[in-house]
Short mmCIF file of all heavy atoms in Angstrom, two decimals:
data_model
loop_
_atom_site.label_atom_id
_atom_site.label_comp_id
_atom_site.label_asym_id
_atom_site.label_seq_id
_atom_site.Cartn_x
_atom_site.Cartn_y
_atom_site.Cartn_z
N PRO A 42 -197.20 38.69 21.22
CA PRO A 42 -197.18 40.15 21.00
C PRO A 42 -195.80 40.78 21.12
O PRO A 42 -195.56 41.86 20.59
CB PRO A 42 -198.13 40.69 22.09
CG PRO A 42 -198.12 39.62 23.15
CD PRO A 42 -197.98 38.33 22.41
N GLU A 43 -194.88 40.12 21.82
CA GLU A 43 -193.55 40.69 22.01
C GLU A 43 -192.46 39.68 21.67
O GLU A 43 -191.38 39.70 22.25
CB GLU A 43 -193.38 41.17 23.45
CG GLU A 43 -194.35 42.28 23.86
CD GLU A 43 -194.16 42.74 25.28
OE1 GLU A 43 -193.29 42.17 25.98
OE2 GLU A 43 -194.86 43.66 25.70
N VAL A 44 -192.75 38.83 20.71
CA VAL A 44 -191.79 37.77 20.39
C VAL A 44 -190.55 38.35 19.71
O VAL A 44 -190.62 39.36 19.01
CB VAL A 44 -192.43 36.71 19.47
CG1 VAL A 44 -192.64 37.24 18.08
CG2 VAL A 44 -191.59 35.44 19.44
N GLY A 45 -189.43 37.75 19.97
CA GLY A 45 -188.18 38.16 19.35
C GLY A 45 -187.20 37.00 19.37
O GLY A 45 -187.53 35.89 19.79
N SER A 46 -186.01 37.27 18.91
CA SER A 46 -184.98 36.23 18.89
C SER A 46 -184.59 35.86 20.31
O SER A 46 -184.54 36.70 21.21
CB SER A 46 -183.75 36.73 18.13
OG SER A 46 -182.69 35.81 18.25
N GLN A 47 -184.28 34.60 20.51
CA GLN A 47 -183.79 34.15 21.81
C GLN A 47 -182.27 34.30 21.93
O GLN A 47 -181.72 34.06 22.99
CB GLN A 47 -184.21 32.70 22.06
CG GLN A 47 -185.69 32.53 22.28
CD GLN A 47 -186.06 31.12 22.68
OE1 GLN A 47 -185.62 30.16 22.06
NE2 GLN A 47 -186.88 30.98 23.70
N LEU A 48 -181.63 34.68 20.85
CA LEU A 48 -180.20 34.95 20.90
C LEU A 48 -179.95 36.29 21.58
O LEU A 48 -180.70 37.24 21.39
CB LEU A 48 -179.62 34.97 19.48
CG LEU A 48 -179.60 33.65 18.72
CD1 LEU A 48 -179.16 33.88 17.28
CD2 LEU A 48 -178.69 32.63 19.40
N THR A 49 -178.89 36.35 22.36
CA THR A 49 -178.52 37.60 23.03
C THR A 49 -177.46 38.32 22.20
O THR A 49 -176.42 37.73 21.89
CB THR A 49 -177.96 37.31 24.44
OG1 THR A 49 -178.97 36.65 25.21
CG2 THR A 49 -177.56 38.61 25.13
N TRP A 50 -177.73 39.56 21.83
CA TRP A 50 -176.78 40.34 21.03
C TRP A 50 -177.02 41.83 21.26
O TRP A 50 -178.10 42.24 21.70
CB TRP A 50 -176.93 39.99 19.54
CG TRP A 50 -178.32 40.19 19.00
CD1 TRP A 50 -179.37 39.32 19.09
CD2 TRP A 50 -178.81 41.35 18.33
NE1 TRP A 50 -180.49 39.84 18.51
CE2 TRP A 50 -180.18 41.09 18.02
CE3 TRP A 50 -178.26 42.57 17.96
CZ2 TRP A 50 -180.98 42.02 17.36
CZ3 TRP A 50 -179.06 43.50 17.29
CH2 TRP A 50 -180.40 43.22 17.00
N HIS A 51 -175.99 42.62 20.98
CA HIS A 51 -176.08 44.06 21.21
C HIS A 51 -175.65 44.88 20.01
O HIS A 51 -175.62 46.11 20.07
CB HIS A 51 -175.23 44.45 22.43
CG HIS A 51 -175.60 43.69 23.67
ND1 HIS A 51 -174.97 42.52 24.05
CD2 HIS A 51 -176.55 43.92 24.61
CE1 HIS A 51 -175.50 42.07 25.17
NE2 HIS A 51 -176.46 42.90 25.53
N SER A 52 -175.27 44.23 18.92
CA SER A 52 -174.84 44.93 17.71
C SER A 52 -174.99 43.98 16.54
O SER A 52 -175.09 42.75 16.73
CB SER A 52 -173.37 45.35 17.84
OG SER A 52 -172.52 44.20 17.85
N PRO A 53 -175.03 44.49 15.31
CA PRO A 53 -175.09 43.58 14.15
C PRO A 53 -173.96 42.56 14.13
O PRO A 53 -174.17 41.41 13.71
CB PRO A 53 -175.01 44.54 12.96
CG PRO A 53 -175.63 45.80 13.46
CD PRO A 53 -175.17 45.91 14.90
N TRP A 54 -172.77 42.95 14.58
CA TRP A 54 -171.65 42.00 14.63
C TRP A 54 -171.94 40.87 15.60
O TRP A 54 -171.75 39.69 15.27
CB TRP A 54 -170.37 42.72 15.02
CG TRP A 54 -169.22 41.82 15.40
CD1 TRP A 54 -168.57 41.79 16.60
CD2 TRP A 54 -168.57 40.83 14.58
NE1 TRP A 54 -167.57 40.84 16.58
CE2 TRP A 54 -167.55 40.24 15.34
CE3 TRP A 54 -168.77 40.39 13.27
CZ2 TRP A 54 -166.72 39.24 14.85
CZ3 TRP A 54 -167.96 39.38 12.78
CH2 TRP A 54 -166.94 38.81 13.57
N GLU A 55 -172.42 41.18 16.78
CA GLU A 55 -172.73 40.13 17.75
C GLU A 55 -173.87 39.25 17.25
O GLU A 55 -173.86 38.03 17.46
CB GLU A 55 -173.09 40.75 19.11
CG GLU A 55 -171.90 41.41 19.80
CD GLU A 55 -172.21 41.82 21.23
OE1 GLU A 55 -173.35 41.55 21.70
OE2 GLU A 55 -171.32 42.40 21.88
N LEU A 56 -174.84 39.83 16.56
CA LEU A 56 -175.93 39.04 15.98
C LEU A 56 -175.40 38.11 14.90
O LEU A 56 -175.80 36.94 14.82
CB LEU A 56 -177.00 39.97 15.41
CG LEU A 56 -178.17 39.29 14.68
CD1 LEU A 56 -178.92 38.33 15.61
CD2 LEU A 56 -179.13 40.34 14.11
N LEU A 57 -174.53 38.61 14.06
CA LEU A 57 -173.94 37.78 13.00
C LEU A 57 -173.19 36.60 13.59
O LEU A 57 -173.37 35.45 13.16
CB LEU A 57 -173.01 38.63 12.13
CG LEU A 57 -172.21 37.89 11.06
CD1 LEU A 57 -173.13 37.18 10.07
CD2 LEU A 57 -171.28 38.86 10.32
N VAL A 58 -172.35 36.85 14.58
CA VAL A 58 -171.58 35.78 15.21
C VAL A 58 -172.51 34.76 15.87
O VAL A 58 -172.36 33.55 15.69
CB VAL A 58 -170.60 36.36 16.26
CG1 VAL A 58 -169.97 35.23 17.09
CG2 VAL A 58 -169.52 37.19 15.59
N ALA A 59 -173.49 35.26 16.61
CA ALA A 59 -174.41 34.35 17.30
C ALA A 59 -175.20 33.50 16.32
O ALA A 59 -175.44 32.31 16.56
CB ALA A 59 -175.37 35.16 18.19
N THR A 60 -175.60 34.09 15.20
CA THR A 60 -176.38 33.34 14.21
C THR A 60 -175.53 32.27 13.54
O THR A 60 -176.00 31.15 13.29
CB THR A 60 -176.96 34.30 13.16
OG1 THR A 60 -177.72 35.33 13.81
CG2 THR A 60 -177.88 33.56 12.20
N ILE A 61 -174.28 32.58 13.26
CA ILE A 61 -173.37 31.57 12.71
C ILE A 61 -173.18 30.42 13.70
O ILE A 61 -173.21 29.24 13.34
CB ILE A 61 -172.01 32.21 12.34
CG1 ILE A 61 -172.18 33.14 11.13
CG2 ILE A 61 -170.97 31.13 12.05
CD1 ILE A 61 -170.94 33.94 10.79
#
Side-chain angles (χ1 to χ4, degrees):
E43 298 180 358
V44 72
S46 172
Q47 290 187 313
L48 293 173
T49 300
W50 56 277
H51 304 93
S52 68
W54 167 240
E55 291 189 2
L56 176 59
L57 174 59
V58 171
T60 305
I61 291 173

